[in-house]
Amino acid sequence: MSGIRALSPRRAAEVRAALQMAVGAMAALYLATALKLPHPYWSVISAIVVIQASLGGDVLTVARDRAIGTLSGAFVGAAVAFVRPPGMEWMALGIAAATATLAFLGAGRPWLKIAPVTAAIVIAGGTGAEDPAQLAMDRLFEILVGSAVGVVAILALFPRHARDTFQFQAREAAGEAAVLLRLVADGKAGDAAEISRRHTDLKKRLDKLGDAAKAVVDLPGVQRETADRAALARAFWRVRSDIVILGRGFHGGDAAERLRPWSLDAVRAAERLERLAAGQAVEPLGPVDSTLALTAAVESDDMALGAAAIGIAHMHRDLDDLAERFSDLRLV
């Protein structure tokens, strides 16, 4: 495993994900075959679906939802297969009625997402030699086996994969926020297009960071860490909002030179973001200096100065909170 650790964080995460997928798929196939399940490929598919969830969602929730959806679809499909008269027309009507009903009930309910698929398979498969009830039971066990293998693969094989991904994305987001904040603090009109592009990129990174926070599997007893990850993502969003406010001040007409003290303070904040991106602990910014406070903007009725003062005050608070979250989660 030392070879994996020697890779860059991005490549190491990709290699871990690939190995999880390969081992999980093979294990699901062999286990389903050993249990003499008639269609082992359903176990393989379920394992793959659950393992993929570790890249951007709560794997345990996905496995649970897939099991509940399979059970619901198998029950409905078996019931329809038993009561419908023979013939293609009745089979088509049965599939239409079952899938439409389950799709209606499944709107907004992830645990029923797979139910229409399972119901259709059971109803259509029940026309052959297989008994509908047996087909429903086989499908249920096949998917349960695959889901269980997927969860075990994630928990047992490279269990730190999701944590490493979260750490890597958090540091990348800090680096991107630092670049954006420096551009905003410069106050150059020619940077407007680049600032807009980087705002969009930062939003995408923070969306991924939120998904990565959910993907980390915490076993009972350490749920506080999950809450801290979500809090870190929220702190990042607040820092981004502060950068937006600062941009309204620094890029307002001839404000750049007039707001030089606030710009220099923003650069101090950018330096701290750069250190977080490098995995280094930072000293808190602390309370904003009285010379940069909002009172000066109120007295002068200067809108640009007001935006800068509000943005800096919020940045001090939100960046210190972000740094504390980095420290709590041992990202620095």
Side-chain angles (χ1 to χ4, degrees):
M1 303 305 174
S2 58
I4 294 178
R5 297 191 188 97
L7 299 172
S8 69
R10 186 188 299 276
R11 294 303 175 202
E14 291 170 353
V15 170
R16 290 187 186 99
L19 290 175
Q20 281 180 330
M21 189 70 72
V23 173
M26 286 194 304
L29 177 63
Y30 278 112
L31 181 57
T33 301
L35 294 173
K36 301 188 184 305
L37 295 175
H39 304 292
Y41 60 86
W42 279 107
S43 296
V44 176
I45 292 171
S46 293
I48 290 172
V49 168
V50 171
I51 292 171
Q52 281 180 329
S54 72
L55 304 179
D58 186 339
V59 61
L60 297 178
T61 299
V62 171
R64 180 205 64 193
D65 291 348
R66 192 163 175 80
I68 294 174
T70 300
L71 179 61
S72 303
F75 176 80
V76 172
V80 171
F82 271 118
V83 302
R84 73 169 180 83
M88 178 61 70
E89 295 80 4
W90 286 108
M91 183 178 72
L93 285 173
I95 291 176
T99 55
T101 300
L102 290 169
F104 176 81
L105 295 174
R109 299 180 178 89
W111 55 89
L112 287 179
K113 187 176 181 180
I114 196 176
V117 177
T118 306
I121 291 172
V122 171
I123 295 169
T127 59
E130 290 183 277
D131 177 71
Q134 185 60 50
L135 182 62
M137 291 299 297
D138 289 341
R139 186 67 65 252
L140 177 61
F141 281 118
E142 288 156 5
I143 290 180
L144 287 177
V145 166
S147 298
V149 168
V151 171
V152 171
I154 291 166
L155 294 178
L157 187 62
F158 308 122
R160 290 196 55 82
H161 161 58
R163 285 182 173 81
D164 291 344
T165 299
F166 177 79
Q167 180 186 70
F168 175 67
Q169 292 184 355
R171 289 179 178 175
E172 274 204 330
E176 183 62 28
V179 173
L180 177 58
L181 182 54
R182 282 188 177 277
L183 285 171
V184 167
D186 283 344
K188 296 178 181 177
D191 291 335
E194 178 68 6
I195 288 173
S196 178
R197 185 188 70 79
R198 288 190 174 275
H199 265 300
T200 300
D201 184 64
L202 182 57
K203 287 175 65 177
K204 291 179 181 177
R205 288 181 186 275
L206 295 185
D207 285 334
K208 290 181 179 179
L209 182 65
D211 289 337
K214 299 174 186 175
V216 180
V217 178
D218 284 317
L219 298 178
V222 289
Q223 292 305 314
R224 175 182 173 276
E225 194 176 336
T226 303
D228 283 346
R229 289 191 203 95
L232 182 140
R234 290 194 298 271
F236 257 123
W237 280 107
R238 290 195 298 271
V239 168
R240 181 191 169 274
S241 296
D242 300 339
I243 297 175
V244 171
I245 295 172
L246 288 171
R248 292 170 183 166
F250 296 146
H251 290 261
D254 61 346
E257 188 59 36
R258 190 170 75 258
L259 302 181
R260 188 66 176 167
W262 287 266
S263 176
L264 292 174
D265 198 78
V267 171
R268 289 177 56 217
E271 291 171 350
R272 280 163 171 74
L273 284 167
E274 289 166 350
R275 291 187 62 184
L276 292 177
Q280 300 173 2
V282 299
E283 294 295 326
L285 284 168
V288 66
D289 189 274
S290 59
T291 61
L292 305 178
L294 184 59
T295 52
V298 173
E299 293 170 357
S300 62
D301 195 26
D302 188 330
M303 297 298 293
L305 194 155
I310 292 173
I312 286 296
H314 288 185
M315 180 65 74
H316 277 240
R317 177 197 64 197
D318 297 331
L319 185 52
D320 284 352
D321 180 47
L322 180 67
E324 185 177 349
R325 301 297 177 182
F326 263 74
S327 179
D328 286 346
L329 291 169
R330 300 178 182 177
L331 302 179
V332 292

